Amino acid sequence: MRRKLVAGNWKMHGNLVTNKQLLDEVINGLQGSRDADYAVCVPYPYLPSVKSSLQNSNIAWGAQNVSQHEKGAYTGEISASMLNDFECRYVIVGHSERRALYGESSLIVAEKYLAAQKSGIIPILCVGETLEQRESGVTERIIEEQLTAVINLSGVESLQKAVIAYEPVWAIGTGKTATPQQAQDVHTFIRSVISKLDSNTAKELIILYGGSVKANNAAELFVMPDIDGGLIGGASLVASDFVAICQAMQN
Ligand code: 13P
């Protein structure tokens, strides 16, 4: 049985005061919920305060990026062992914003995934196509290429200690959600790519959907058989919305 997961990606939002208010409300709203796993991936500087807010709750925390290097002269970078110092359970790797705005290739993303796992942190590997790629019919090829880079470097079994998030780039922050069937089709495809190599890993793999998941569309997405939860951007910044999305996962 795959465990369900709802993770918030705060991106570059928040401050000490608003984070505390947001988390207090989310902790309260999710108190006692054990049917799924919950997490928030926060900006680096807030890891200590987020950890202290969440450590006695049912909500895990993580980061949004990690260096592929263990240590060294990499000004401005953060290593996986540093994230470990703050007990991050998850780290997002390969978010489309990192791929597009910071030039992260699938190889770099694969190296980051490996670095996270070496430190015992669960990578949330984002994959997804742009609108142009979808319209030109290459969605599956793009996603397979993004997955293959990771499998080549870390092996297919590594996915037993990872989460995949399918995030169509055209649905991120646009208010345009993939239909439940569109998302389900890509999730099935992802599982089939993995299944050709290792059917057990494919069966157990947690695949989240991300891209304009809101309180009013979460339930119809989460009911699909291959959607195991969500990676939530904008709506994770509003406590009542994030809690409602988490509750949609339980129902
Ligand atoms: P939105 O939910 O704001 O569309 O963002 C999705 C996302 O990028 C999560 O990583």
Side-chain angles (χ1 to χ4, degrees):
M1 250 313 256
R2 297 191 293 270
R3 214 71 199 136
K4 308 290 184 181
L5 169 66
V6 181
N9 173 8
W10 288 3
K11 308 193 180 183
M12 198 173 73
H13 292 288
N15 61 49
L16 282 173
V17 174
T18 58
N19 295 347
K20 173 90 174 62
Q21 287 165 348
L22 172 61
L23 289 179
D24 284 350
E25 281 180 57
V26 172
I27 291 167
N28 206 25
L30 293 178
Q31 214 156 28
S33 305
R34 300 263 164 228
D35 302 337
D37 291 331
Y38 312 109
V40 288
C41 293
V42 308
Y44 294 135
Y46 300 125
L47 283 170
S49 59
V50 166
K51 175 187 162 196
S52 104
S53 291
L54 295 179
Q55 58 195 355
N56 295 315
S57 77
N58 52 349
I59 305 159
W61 58 92
Q64 301 168 13
N65 184 26
V66 66
S67 172
Q68 65 272 45
H69 304 292
E70 281 176 22
K71 61 177 167 186
Y74 301 105
T75 302
E77 290 291 280
I78 306 284
S79 70
S81 69
M82 293 172 187
L83 297 183
N84 246 341
D85 275 346
F86 297 96
E87 293 165 48
C88 287
R89 181 167 168 78
Y90 299 101
V91 63
I92 297 172
V93 297
H95 192 281
S96 63
E97 287 151 17
R98 303 260 1 139
R99 293 181 193 259
L101 304 174
Y102 299 94
E104 291 186 10
S105 64
S106 287
L107 179 60
I108 291 174
V109 172
E111 289 170 350
K112 290 180 175 222
Y113 171 106
L114 179 63
Q117 284 197 332
K118 273 192 186 160
S119 280
I121 301 171
I122 299 171
I124 300 178
L125 169 68
C126 298
V127 298
E129 80 289 0
T130 63
L131 185 60
E132 198 188 358
Q133 289 163 339
R134 173 162 284 262
E135 285 175 348
S136 53
V138 296
T139 298
E140 294 190 347
R141 183 167 67 67
I142 295 296
I143 286 173
E144 187 159 11
E145 180 264 334
Q146 292 169 339
L147 290 172
T148 303
V150 164
I151 293 168
N152 285 348
L153 196 66
S154 296
V156 68
E157 323 73 49
S158 74
L159 290 165
Q160 290 165 13
K161 294 202 171 85
V163 170
I164 289 184
Y166 168 54
E167 298 209 317
V169 179
W170 48 270
I172 295 177
T174 57
K176 221 179 174 191
T177 321
T179 65
Q181 193 57 52
Q182 279 174 323
Q184 167 65 21
D185 288 348
V186 177
H187 285 224
T188 309
F189 173 72
I190 292 170
R191 229 180 273 290
S192 77
V193 169
I194 314 290
S195 192
K196 277 187 223 143
L197 302 168
D198 181 341
S199 61
N200 255 350
T201 299
K203 251 184 253 148
E204 296 302 321
L205 181 64
I206 296 169
I207 310 177
L208 310 181
Y209 169 77
S212 298
V213 178
K214 305 289 177 204
N216 63 6
N217 61 22
E220 64 190 33
L221 287 158
F222 293 167
V223 83
M224 302 308 281
D226 285 289
I227 299 183
D228 306 312
L231 184 57
I232 320 299
S236 72
L237 300 170
V238 180
S240 54
D241 289 350
F242 189 61
V243 168
I245 292 169
C246 291
Q247 283 166 344
M249 187 76 267
Q250 299 160 25
N251 297 332

